[in-house]
Amino acid sequence: MYEVPEPHTGWTFLTNHARVLAVIADNDHARIRDIAVHCRLTERAVQKIIVDLEDGGYLSRTREGRSNTYRVASGKTLRHPAEADLGLTVAALLSLLVKDEHQRTARAGDRHTDTS
């Protein structure tokens, strides 16, 4: 089964909300369990963060069978007034945090053409 790694102690540059959003932006079908492991959080913490992001209009989720598909509102401005006043968007933040678009497109293409 999946184990949550030891949490990081001390301060960091990114919030857990930013980490979760970046993982979802990189994989719109990510499971809460996988997000939790990647971000070193509990599944419950990830669930709460996803609700926060949905309530804030930064994320929407569609149920597809037993899984979720997420959609990031990339054009929405960031919440803090210092960033919002500059017009910085979710897309600007994610451009620093997620794999480059070419890698995502190539990986998605590999999934669709895999014949094994």
Side-chain angles (χ1 to χ4, degrees):
M1 185 110 336
Y2 294 92
E3 238 181 84
V4 176
E6 195 66 30
H8 175 81
T9 57
W11 67 273
T12 65
F13 284 102
L14 300 175
T15 67
N16 290 333
H17 285 65
R19 285 186 188 90
V20 168
L21 192 62
V23 171
I24 290 171
D26 195 44
N27 178 2
D28 64 355
H29 287 82
R31 297 180 309 165
I32 288 177
R33 176 180 299 156
D34 298 330
I35 297 168
V37 169
H38 182 84
C39 295
R40 296 179 174 223
L41 299 169
T42 65
E43 290 180 33
R44 184 70 185 130
V46 170
Q47 289 171 336
K48 288 180 180 180
I49 289 169
I50 288 172
V51 168
D52 287 347
L53 293 170
E54 285 180 305
D55 289 348
Y58 291 91
L59 186 67
S60 61
R61 133 177 75 171
T62 304
R63 191 82 172 153
E64 293 182 359
R66 294 180 59 194
S67 62
N68 292 315
T69 298
Y70 299 96
R71 184 166 182 258
V72 175
S74 58
K76 190 158 172 75
T77 56
L78 300 179
R79 287 175 49 101
H80 194 281
E83 289 93 25
D85 290 348
L86 294 174
L88 293 177
T89 64
V90 169
L93 173 65
L94 292 175
S95 71
L96 300 171
L97 301 178
V98 298
K99 295 178 184 173
D100 108 359
E101 183 63 29
H102 176 72
Q103 288 177 321
R104 276 197 302 282
T105 303
R107 190 181 72 226
D110 291 344
R111 281 195 305 241
H112 296 298
T113 59
D114 187 14
T115 58
S116 56

